[in-house]
Every structure is written in structure tokens, then in C-alpha cells.
Amino acid sequence: METEIEHILIGEDEIKAKVAELADRISRDYQGKELLLVGILKGAFMFLADLCRHISIPVKFDFVVVSSYGSSTRSCGVVRIQKDLDADISDRHVLIVEDVIDSGLTLNYISKNFKARNPASLEICSLLAKPEANHSVDIKYTGFSIPSDFVVGYGLDFDENYRNRRNIAVLKKSPVKTT
Ligand code: IMP
Ligand code: MG
């Protein structure tokens, strides 16, 4: 399995420092407000868990399960909400927490869908952003801008593998399946 790894892109310590830095910014920006963190599962689970422990203001949580990829490293172009929010987000300060934005298709869809529910504010925090993301969706908090390679680890998977890696690594191009 590990033979599918090309090289480590972002090390554990670098991730830790960035997560703390993002949490500081968020704590400052939402001072005096009640924040609802919405994790996009499954990929954002590890980032969200670490991020929230550095946030110093009161936060509540909700989760959505979204699929757009299947087992391929290419988006199939269809976004599907498999599990919707439990909470009513009208008049609430919502911060979407995502692992990576590639084409922006997923976040575009989610943003539009959430905006229609009239939140007090709606912003996006993504640990990783690929080049394509710049012109498709407005990301307020970005951890790292990365090349468009397929990456795994720290919550991100290839075919449900590698999510528990402590660092983020580039996958070798050879195992890419096309659907
Ligand atoms: P987008 O809709 O093209 O922006 O893709 C976003 C979703 O695709 C993310 O939430 C991930 O689940 C998945 N994804 C995109 N790039 C990668 C990657 O490099 N590794 C693992 N998952 C990825
Ligand atoms: Mg995801």
C-alpha cells in the first residue's frame, strides 16, 4: 500500500503550525459571536478535530456528508448530499470546514445550498487549495495552496485508504483509475 506514495508534501509539524494559525485568525474574527463549524465528511474530520481545539471562542458543530468522487482521483462532476445538516442555520454564523478544494464544484454547490437557508454569515475554511480553486469559489481561510497532484493523509483518502496518515503525501500517478 505504501508503495503508492510518491513523496511527503506537507509534514506533521507544518500542518500543526498552520492549523493553530488558522484557529487564531478564526477566534479573532468571530470574537463575540457564536460560531457553527460545519465539517464536510469524511475528509475534514481530522482537520476539524485539530482546528477546533485551538479555537478559543464558543463553537457548536454540525456535519454534512457529501460525495463527488467515488473511488477515482477525478471528480465525476456530480455532487450529492448524503447526509444533510441537523441544525437550522438561519441567522447563524456558519464556517464550512473542508479538507481540500480542487475544482470547487463541491463547495460551490454547498455554498449555494447553505446560502438559501439565510445564515447570518457563511465562510469557508479549507486546509488545502489546488490552483483551480482560485477562480471558482471564495475561500476566506486557506491553509496551504498546493499543486494539482492528488494527495492523501490527514483525513484525505484514495479509495478510503491513508486517512490516518499524520502528514500529507502525493500519490504516485500510476494507480489512478479512470471511471
Ligand atoms: P472539488 O469538488 O473538485 O473541489 O473536490 C473536492 C472534493 O474532492 C474534496 O472534498 C475531496 O473529498 C476530494 N478531493 C479533491 N482532491 C483530492 C485529493 O487530492 N485527495 C483526496 N481527495 C481529494
Ligand atoms: Mg472532502
Side-chain angles (χ1 to χ4, degrees):
M1 193 56 76
E2 288 298 309
T3 55
E4 290 181 349
I5 299 297
E6 171 81 44
H7 65 272
I8 291 167
L9 185 67
I10 310 168
E12 193 181 350
D13 291 345
E14 218 182 328
I15 296 172
K16 275 188 185 154
K18 185 63 77 176
V19 169
E21 182 192 313
L22 287 171
D24 282 347
R25 274 181 60 200
I26 293 166
S27 304
R28 257 183 277 125
D29 292 353
Y30 288 90
Q31 193 70 53
K33 294 174 178 155
E34 189 188 88
L35 179 60
L36 180 69
L37 293 173
V38 175
I40 314 272
L41 296 177
K42 302 172 194 164
F45 81 95
M46 201 174 284
F47 175 42
L48 179 62
D50 286 344
L51 184 76
C52 72
R53 279 179 280 187
H54 286 281
I55 293 178
S56 57
I57 56 163
V59 287
K60 291 187 177 176
F61 298 88
D62 206 344
F63 298 93
V64 288
V65 180
V66 175
S67 67
S68 63
Y69 265 70
S71 62
S72 164
T73 55
R74 285 261 179 89
S75 173
C76 61
V78 179
V79 180
R80 197 157 58 93
I81 295 185
Q82 291 176 290
K83 184 228 163 269
D84 201 357
L85 293 167
D86 292 327
D88 176 359
I89 58 168
S90 62
D91 299 323
R92 300 182 69 178
H93 295 284
V94 178
L95 180 61
I96 299 171
V97 180
E98 174 63 308
D99 51 358
V100 55
I101 304 185
D102 184 2
S103 67
L105 205 86
T106 308
L107 258 302
N108 255 321
Y109 178 85
I110 292 289
S111 297
K112 278 195 193 122
N113 187 297
F114 283 11
K115 266 181 197 151
R117 307 182 202 193
N118 300 311
S121 67
L122 181 67
E123 301 291 353
I124 295 167
C125 174
S126 184
L127 179 66
L128 309 173
K130 297 193 187 178
E132 276 273 289
N134 291 330
H135 40 82
S136 57
V137 59
D138 193 16
I139 316 165
K140 182 153 186 193
Y141 307 96
T142 306
F144 303 94
S145 294
I146 61 164
S148 51
D149 301 316
F150 198 84
V151 294
V152 293
Y154 198 69
L156 291 105
D157 75 305
F158 174 67
D159 230 352
E160 294 301 325
N161 290 309
Y162 306 113
R163 290 195 197 274
N164 62 325
R165 288 183 67 92
R166 293 174 181 208
N167 52 35
I168 293 168
V170 173
L171 205 63
K172 277 182 188 162
K173 294 206 167 53
S174 46
V176 172
K177 300 175 201 163
T178 47
T179 44

